[in-house]
Amino acid sequence: MPILNILRYPDARLHKVAAPVTVFDESLKKLVADMAETMYAAPGIGLAATQVDVHKQVIVVDVSDRHDSLVVLVNPEIVEATGESDIEEGCLSVPGIYELVQRAERVKVRAHDQNGKAFTLEAQGLLAVCIQHEMDHLQGKVFVEHLSQLKQQRIRAKLAKQLRKSA
Ligand code: GNR
Ligand code: NI
């Protein structure tokens, strides 16, 4: 199965808003399988469809060390968020940048799996933060956009320099 190309910030396609999934078919299952493979290969602990230029509300997450706890969230909605967490975040679309972002410590999420079955997940800690990070991607928001304008400017300069060096 193919590893998908991950868009790099800044890219206007990372700002598209994902549409809800309405049909739970084989192509959705293939997308989920390819996204999981891409996330594990990267390696990362989460991936939103937006990052692979598919603008549908699909997320895969696995915060386990053994890669045995895949969570698939289709059309996720946060129904409860409590507490405050500031975990240093990274993003596969913003390589080499790690920054603290304010998030809820616990979230209750309603979503569907890749078969269309509805479920509710209660998450805390890194899993909760990762889900919030991925749900931002579906809304067209990259984690650096939670930071000050000055920090964002510095990050863009650093990424441009990385790109020049690799060219
Ligand atoms: O791999 C990832 N690690 C991570 C660490 C802290 C908070 C969020 C994340 S998500 C990130 C993968 C990614 O870019 N998902 O969109
Ligand atoms: Ni990300």
Side-chain angles (χ1 to χ4, degrees), residues 73-144:
L73 300 168
V74 179
N75 301 342
E77 282 177 75
I78 292 183
V79 292
E80 215 178 283
T82 57
E84 278 179 44
S85 162
D86 48 358
I87 283 185
E88 191 160 271
E89 297 191 16
C91 181
L92 296 172
S93 296
V94 197
I97 306 292
Y98 303 90
E99 294 282 350
L100 289 175
V101 178
Q102 303 269 60
R103 303 282 190 186
E105 166 65 18
R106 290 167 178 269
V107 291
K108 188 188 276 188
V109 185
R110 267 189 55 80
H112 293 78
D113 68 14
Q114 65 268 49
N115 301 305
K117 186 173 186 290
F119 64 97
T120 302
L121 174 70
E122 292 193 35
Q124 60 172 312
L126 185 59
L127 178 60
V129 166
C130 188
I131 289 170
Q132 293 169 78
H133 174 118
E134 304 313 335
M135 288 183 67
D136 270 359
H137 276 303
L138 298 183
Q139 292 305 312
K141 187 162 181 173
V142 178
F143 85 106
V144 297

Side-chain angles (χ1 to χ4, degrees), residues 59-77:
I59 289 169
V60 293
V61 177
D62 188 342
V63 299
S64 74
D65 293 331
R66 295 158 144 216
H67 293 181
D68 61 0
S69 307
L70 182 67
V71 180
V72 177
L73 300 168
V74 179
N75 301 342
E77 282 177 75

